[in-house]
Amino acid sequence: MTDDCAAGQQVFFDPEAVHDRAGQRLRIVSWNLLRLVGAGVADVARLIRQHRPDLLVMQEATKELAALPGLVGGHFYREPLHGRVYGLAVWSPHPIPRPKILPLPVSTMPGRVPPRLAQIIRFGGVSFANVHLSHGQFLNRWQLLHIARSLEGPAAIIGDYNAVGPVKLPGFKDLGPRQSTHSPTNVISFRLDRCMGREVQCATKRVLQRGPSDHHPIFLELRLATGENAAAERPRSHSFIQRRAKRLIGRVSRLSAHAERRRA
């Protein structure tokens, strides 16, 4: 399942070429591993050897994944979610700075899950946000707006969105494959694993074999956008995001206040 979304000469990522990122392709893979019962460290190592990503972001990663550099080398960081055995993780064969952690908006409704986080990785001139968003369809879109407002310059938000249906994010384009990526049963499947980017272009995108998880990994080759469009896109999108986020925050605050009054 392959989708070539931009033509051009193949120039893959060279970590030493710090002054000429344009045109270089970054091989990016995202995979929700399905904690404990899904893909283990050996499965992840096998995927790395087969597809050779420059950056691999993972969701529902357990502490056993810390053994990954011992199998394939590289650099690895994991951020557990509060009160959970799993969390977000990133691996790269290239040196990468320790990711920054961005807390995401939370629900005030009863029965809410622990707060979600985004793992922010600066790599190849792009800010990547590794995400495992909430299941609430209003909340996960609010979380996306919060992440977009927090990122500067070229950026990509990639991971398990838990979003059903279209996702619109001002200033960002949907770069990921359009096929379904999550199959909880043999009857129904969803496109939950996505990538939205700003000032980056997609060269190739595809859904990989699922393996032992209930999510398929997604594979993308990205490169920095060039030309006037990339430069002109950012100011307009940032102001629009600010206005949109303020409206959404106001709506969520009103809904939360209403819920609190009902519980009282």
Side-chain angles (χ1 to χ4, degrees):
M1 290 184 272
T2 302
D3 186 356
D4 293 329
C5 42
Q9 182 182 5
Q10 289 194 7
V11 182
F12 290 107
F13 180 67
D14 177 3
E16 302 300 327
V18 294
H19 300 298
D20 185 18
R21 300 297 192 195
Q24 290 197 90
R25 293 189 180 187
L26 305 174
R27 291 181 293 246
I28 313 297
V29 173
S30 173
W31 196 9
N32 183 320
L33 305 178
L34 184 60
R35 60 194 180 277
L36 298 178
V37 297
V41 64
D43 302 297
V44 176
R46 189 177 304 111
L47 178 140
I48 289 171
R49 294 187 186 106
Q50 182 176 357
H51 297 285
R52 299 176 57 205
D54 295 303
L55 193 70
L56 167 64
V57 297
M58 294 159 277
Q59 305 86 44
E60 297 197 23
T62 58
K63 61 183 181 181
E64 75 156 324
L65 269 296
L68 191 58
L71 298 178
V72 292
H75 307 267
F76 175 86
Y77 297 100
R78 176 177 172 268
E79 186 66 28
L81 295 182
H82 178 73
R84 292 290 189 266
V85 298
Y86 59 87
L88 301 171
V90 58
W91 175 90
S92 177
H94 313 293
I96 54 175
R98 178 174 291 276
K100 296 181 179 179
I101 304 305
L102 177 67
L104 301 183
V106 298
S107 172
T108 60
M109 301 300 288
R112 61 187 183 273
V113 300
R116 303 271 179 163
L117 306 169
Q119 197 178 33
I120 310 299
I121 308 107
R122 186 68 181 174
F123 179 73
V126 180
S127 293
F128 290 91
N130 177 20
V131 301
H132 187 192
L133 303 179
S134 296
H135 289 86
Q137 297 305 296
F138 180 80
L139 180 57
N140 58 38
R141 285 158 172 82
W142 183 27
Q143 291 169 341
L144 278 171
L145 280 169
H146 179 73
I147 296 166
R149 187 174 57 168
S150 302
L151 299 176
E152 295 289 340
I157 305 172
I158 185 168
D160 182 353
Y161 279 33
N162 273 319
V164 178
V167 174
K168 302 294 184 182
L169 191 59
F172 283 72
K173 295 181 179 179
D174 190 341
L175 302 178
R178 298 299 193 268
Q179 296 91 346
S180 298
T181 63
H182 175 54
S183 304
T185 69
N186 293 326
V187 178
I188 191 169
S189 59
F190 301 95
R191 182 188 173 223
L192 299 186
D193 303 271
R194 309 192 187 198
C195 178
M196 301 193 74
R198 178 181 64 204
E199 298 179 41
V200 292
Q201 296 173 337
C202 174
T204 302
K205 55 187 176 182
R206 63 181 183 266
V207 174
L208 304 180
Q209 292 298 318
R210 189 177 73 177
S213 175
D214 59 349
H215 285 253
H216 290 265
I218 59 173
F219 175 97
L220 301 96
E221 289 177 4
L222 303 179
R223 61 178 174 228
L224 289 175
T226 58
E228 296 180 358
N229 290 339
E233 183 181 72
R234 185 178 168 192
R236 293 196 301 268
S237 64
H238 182 72
S239 61
F240 191 96
I241 288 171
Q242 292 280 8
R243 295 194 300 271
R244 181 81 174 271
K246 286 181 180 179
R247 289 198 295 269
L248 286 174
I249 290 170
R251 289 181 61 189
V252 170
S253 298
R254 290 191 293 272
L255 288 171
S256 299
H258 178 70
E260 291 291 343
R261 288 195 296 269
R262 291 190 64 182
R263 288 200 295 271

